[in-house]
Amino acid sequence: MITTKEIEELFEKMRNAGWNMEQELAWGYFFKHESIEPLQKIADELEQQGYEIVDINQSYPDEMYWLQLEKVEQHSIHSLDKRNQKFYELARKRHIHAYDGMDVSSADY
């Protein structure tokens, strides 16, 4: 589970590297499960909430399926922590193996 302290450290590293954390960035979110169907249901639901489905693929050698979603938005430490908690809860309620965290890139890709 990603802690608030880890998010604070991420934001500090990004600021130190010259990122403007006061602008919209492309935030990626990842779920994994042993079958594709539950991930597709979450993807469809979150797409209705403005998330873009980037990919659903199978990894090797563990053969787990990965869902990658993306949304261009601005986050504070608090809002990103809240988003992570929402996704951990969604994975728990839907019996998904894991919400596996997030990544971030420039929204100017």
Side-chain angles (χ1 to χ4, degrees):
M1 185 171 280
I2 301 166
T3 66
T4 304
K5 181 172 175 53
E6 289 171 320
I7 295 171
E8 290 170 351
E9 291 169 355
L10 171 66
F11 272 56
E12 182 179 342
K13 286 179 186 176
M14 290 177 70
R15 283 187 185 104
N16 290 341
W19 288 71
N20 178 358
M21 301 306 291
E22 306 305 316
Q23 67 181 8
E24 290 188 334
L25 298 169
W27 291 92
Y29 305 98
F30 301 88
F31 294 84
K32 69 178 182 177
H33 194 69
E34 53 273 355
S35 62
I36 197 169
E37 293 81 14
L39 293 177
Q40 187 62 59
K41 287 179 183 177
I42 286 179
D44 293 343
E45 177 183 331
L46 292 175
E47 188 174 40
Q48 296 297 316
Q49 297 176 30
Y51 294 85
E52 177 185 342
I53 301 168
V54 175
D55 196 14
I56 300 178
N57 62 46
Q58 191 172 25
S59 64
Y60 297 96
D62 68 359
E63 299 186 8
M64 295 290 277
Y65 287 89
W66 288 83
L67 164 63
Q68 179 183 359
L69 301 161
E70 186 174 273
K71 190 170 189 180
V72 175
E73 56 192 344
Q74 181 183 349
H75 272 298
S76 65
I77 292 166
H78 174 74
S79 69
L80 185 56
D81 183 50
K82 189 174 178 180
R83 176 67 42 82
N84 283 329
Q85 297 309 314
K86 172 186 169 185
F87 284 163
Y88 285 124
E89 180 66 13
L90 179 63
R92 187 190 67 73
K93 282 183 177 179
R94 300 292 176 82
H95 307 286
I96 299 295
H97 179 75
Y99 164 62
D100 202 54
M102 76 287 164
D103 69 6
V104 62
S105 62
S106 170
D108 301 327
Y109 52 90

